[in-house]
Amino acid sequence: VNISAGTLELASASAMNAGLVTVSSTGTLDVDGTLTTVAGVNVNSGGTLKGAGTIVGNVALDGILAPGNSPGTLAITGNLNLSSSSVLNFELNETNQTVGSGINDYVAITGDLVLDGTLNVPDPSTALTWTTSGDDPTPVTWTLRSEEHTSELQSHSDLVCRLLLEK
């Protein structure tokens, strides 16, 4: 399957089996159902992978990854390889909630993860509804903390990468 332009949407109640799925520079693959691919998914630079469904197969991403449907969880039963040109667009909300519980974007990966590229998160100063609890209307100031790991850890399946938000 080659998505050369436009959007291929796999709706939430649907399933698709395919060989290699390629998303070209102006294409979008929106997975809300289940996509099973024996040869994997390749997202070229400028192409977009998004949705809150499941991909059974490996994903190689040179383009844009936008998990969830404002927000939500994209599950990958396989490996995820993010190249240095990849762009990750994540929505992150309140810290008093569980990641992946429907208020933060989340990618659940069962295989190996190679993490590289650019991470985009919303500017919390423009989101005045971000509060410490539902009863507290006070805006929160967020700090994005990153951690460095040696390159030998980049593809171990037991490596868990987390964004740490501090108040």
Side-chain angles (χ1 to χ4, degrees):
V1 176
N2 185 18
I3 305 162
S4 58
T7 300
L8 174 62
E9 182 177 357
L10 188 58
S12 62
S14 61
M16 182 172 100
N17 294 316
L20 176 64
V21 177
T22 301
V23 182
S24 298
S25 63
T26 59
T28 298
L29 175 59
D30 185 354
V31 179
D32 291 323
T34 301
L35 171 62
T36 302
T37 172
V38 294
V41 175
N42 291 337
V43 181
N44 295 334
S45 181
T48 301
L49 171 61
K50 64 184 225 169
T54 300
I55 297 172
V56 179
N58 297 327
V59 176
L61 195 113
D62 293 323
I64 299 164
L65 177 62
N69 285 330
S70 200
T73 299
L74 178 65
I76 298 173
T77 304
N79 303 327
L80 175 59
N81 186 348
L82 302 170
S83 76
S84 60
S85 66
S86 65
V87 176
L88 289 75
N89 293 330
F90 276 79
E91 293 175 90
L92 304 175
N93 290 301
E94 298 180 37
T95 59
N96 66 337
Q97 303 291 324
T98 302
V99 173
S101 66
I103 68 161
N104 294 297
D105 285 334
Y106 185 71
V107 180
I109 305 160
T110 62
D112 292 341
L113 170 65
V114 175
L115 187 59
D116 204 347
T118 301
L119 172 64
N120 291 326
V121 294
D123 179 1
S125 66
T126 62
L128 297 179
T129 57
W130 288 19
T131 60
T132 55
S133 75
D135 298 327
D136 182 0
T138 308
V140 175
T141 301
W142 302 89
T143 302
L144 181 62
R145 222 173 64 189
S146 64
E147 297 182 25
E148 291 185 25
H149 299 280
T150 63
S151 61
E152 67 185 63
L153 293 176
Q154 288 183 350
S155 64
H156 289 211
S157 61
D158 59 348
L159 175 65
V160 177
C161 296
R162 297 180 188 268
L163 289 173
L164 303 174
L165 296 175
E166 298 181 327
K167 222 172 95 162

